[in-house]
Amino acid sequence: MIREIFESKMATIIDPNLKLPLIQIGYIRDVMLKEDKAALTLIATEQDQTQGVTETQKQQIEELLRTIGVLSIHIRIKTVSEEEKQHISIRALEMQQSQTKSAARPAAPNPFPVSPMVKAGVKFIAIASGKGGVGKSTVTLNLAKALHKVGKRVGIIDADIYGFSIPDMMGIHEKPEPTNSRPTPLQRDGIQVISTGFFVKGNDPVLWRGPRLGRMLSSFLNDVMWGPLDYMLIDLPPGTGDIALAIHQMLPECSEIIVTTPQSTATVVAERAGMMALQTHHHIIGVIENMSYYEDPTGNKHYIFGKGGGSKLAEQLNTSVLAQVPIIPDEQQSTNPDLLKQIYDDIAIHVVQTLS
């Protein structure tokens, strides 16, 4: 995949002051890759530009891109603002501290087995957010439907233990029946589903912690009798807790989509989820900004929750905005159910192309 090769190549270009790869600290942004074309933004300080450091970095990027077959290259130089510089410095310090801690202790053995689905070539996509209430489960379900629509075999693991909602959203009210003492996923509209909610009595709260959560997720991946799959979507709990950590251990090749709203509070906490993905070398496919605006009958857009949060988050995570999903009242969706389908169809096509 050209993006993975690109990120691997860019990781060799080190900032001389922070001693970290430019791409990891956010100095390489707005990356667009298509066939033999590439465009990106290179963030630079005024001092680096004056001393010729930026020009050297630009040449390094161009040379590395040519080694992977990119012929048309456009690099825009953007001077870093004081606010951005402070943000990058804090991020770099956290990364340096994390590296120091990792180097100081021996690597612990991975307690979880590799899922047979990994060996079968299933592509995993975790749907993450920093906080609840941003529509993460809705994004998961709509993306699953869109992937199924383009001919992909899709499964969903509803791992949001504190807010499992996928079964209700899909109209699933029964419990899965075991086959040979192993759980079997339920199916709706061609999509296979397993959920924490299947194994909880009524609406009882889930009072689980670390090891038990890890075992639950491991069981979903290894013990459930899944049918053949191309994609497995994992609806994560919000934040950076035990389930998110377990995903990074069990599925090192998992990709991620970060869901946020335009609100600054949502994007700030969503960045933490994204930074966890980057630090564990998970590929972020992109950001979906949900509840971006409401369009009234006259065509005017109203930005109820603010504006620009998704773009800012994508810039901070060195990725792109996959879609800005509008607010559509239930009555409008019932009269015109195709309003959102095109958005998710486009996302699905992008996902397939990115992960192919």
Side-chain angles (χ1 to χ4, degrees):
M1 183 196 309
I2 189 169
R3 182 170 286 273
E4 290 179 348
I5 298 171
F6 169 84
E7 291 174 354
S8 175
K9 291 285 187 181
M10 293 303 107
T12 64
I13 304 177
I14 307 298
D15 179 80
N17 300 311
L18 298 174
K19 310 299 182 187
L20 289 166
L22 294 181
I23 193 166
Q24 290 185 13
I25 56 178
Y27 273 11
I28 296 177
R29 300 179 182 172
D30 308 323
V31 178
M32 298 294 292
L33 301 171
K34 186 175 181 181
E35 298 175 350
D36 62 346
K37 300 179 179 63
L40 59 89
T41 300
L42 176 60
I43 307 299
T45 63
E46 291 182 356
Q47 182 180 5
D48 282 349
Q49 293 178 68
T50 302
Q51 295 178 351
V53 173
T54 303
E55 184 59 31
T56 300
Q57 292 170 342
K58 181 174 179 287
Q59 291 173 2
Q60 286 178 295
I61 293 170
E62 289 173 343
E63 290 171 5
L64 288 174
L65 284 172
R66 290 190 184 99
T67 66
I68 60 174
V70 179
L71 303 177
S72 175
I73 304 168
H74 175 70
I75 300 176
R76 182 170 72 98
I77 308 297
K78 178 183 176 184
T79 303
V80 66
S81 67
E82 286 302 317
E83 182 183 355
E84 285 179 306
K85 186 188 291 186
Q86 184 179 14
H87 181 86
I88 288 170
S89 296
I90 293 171
R91 180 189 301 178
L93 179 60
E94 290 174 347
M95 292 174 66
Q96 290 164 345
Q97 290 173 342
S98 176
Q99 289 177 356
T100 301
K101 289 177 182 177
S102 297
R105 61 176 182 267
N110 191 337
F112 303 109
V114 176
S115 170
M117 287 189 285
V118 173
K119 300 174 184 177
V122 177
K123 295 178 175 67
F124 292 87
I125 304 172
I127 314 297
S129 68
K131 62 190 291 289
V134 300
K136 175 175 50 59
S137 297
T138 301
V139 167
T140 302
L141 180 55
N142 283 330
L143 178 56
K145 289 180 177 178
L147 286 169
H148 177 69
K149 183 178 175 182
V150 296
K152 302 301 179 181
R153 299 168 297 181
V154 186
I156 296 177
I157 291 177
D158 181 9
D160 190 350
I161 57 168
Y162 306 118
F164 40 83
S165 56
I166 294 289
D168 282 343
M169 293 170 67
M170 298 186 75
I172 298 174
H173 304 294
E174 66 270 29
K175 303 293 183 182
E177 295 291 336
T179 302
N180 297 326
S181 301
R182 294 175 60 190
T184 302
L186 294 175
Q187 289 203 36
R188 281 295 184 278
D189 302 321
I191 298 169
Q192 302 178 52
V193 185
I194 204 78
S195 171
T196 312
F198 294 158
F199 308 97
V200 175
K201 184 178 180 180
N203 202 30
D204 290 350
V206 180
L207 304 176
W208 298 351
R209 290 296 181 266
R212 190 173 180 186
L213 291 176
R215 288 196 297 271
M216 177 206 72
L217 186 59
S218 179
S219 179
F220 285 174
L221 291 169
N222 298 292
D223 299 333
V224 172
M225 295 187 66
W226 296 98
L229 291 172
D230 299 307
Y231 290 87
M232 175 64 79
L233 306 188
I234 305 174
D235 185 12
L236 293 179
T240 56
D242 295 319
I243 287 285
L245 287 170
I247 284 288
H248 296 147
Q249 286 182 298
M250 296 180 202
L251 301 171
E253 300 300 320
C254 185
S255 299
E256 294 200 21
I257 291 174
I258 312 298
V259 182
T260 187
T261 62
Q263 293 171 301
S264 58
T265 52
T267 56
V268 167
V269 291
E271 185 188 0
R272 297 175 196 157
M275 288 304 299
M276 172 184 266
L278 291 176
Q279 289 173 9
T280 52
H281 307 293
H282 278 191
H283 169 232
I284 298 179
I285 297 173
V287 170
I288 292 179
E289 184 186 85
N290 202 22
M291 310 179 201
S292 294
Y293 57 87
Y294 166 69
E295 185 171 338
D296 66 29
T298 66
N300 291 320
K301 293 181 179 179
H302 304 271
Y303 297 91
I304 299 169
F305 297 111
K307 194 174 182 181
S311 299
K312 183 178 180 181
L313 176 62
E315 186 174 330
Q316 290 166 339
L317 298 176
N318 190 37
T319 188
S320 59
V321 176
L322 299 177
Q324 292 178 302
V325 183
I327 300 167
I328 300 178
D330 290 342
E331 59 271 18
Q332 284 185 247
Q333 290 194 50
S334 61
T335 57
N336 189 355
D338 294 329
L339 281 172
L340 291 177
K341 285 184 180 179
Q342 187 59 54
I343 292 175
Y344 284 101
D345 287 349
D346 292 343
I347 296 172
I349 291 170
H350 178 84
V351 166
V352 171
Q353 291 175 342
T354 300
L355 298 184
S356 63

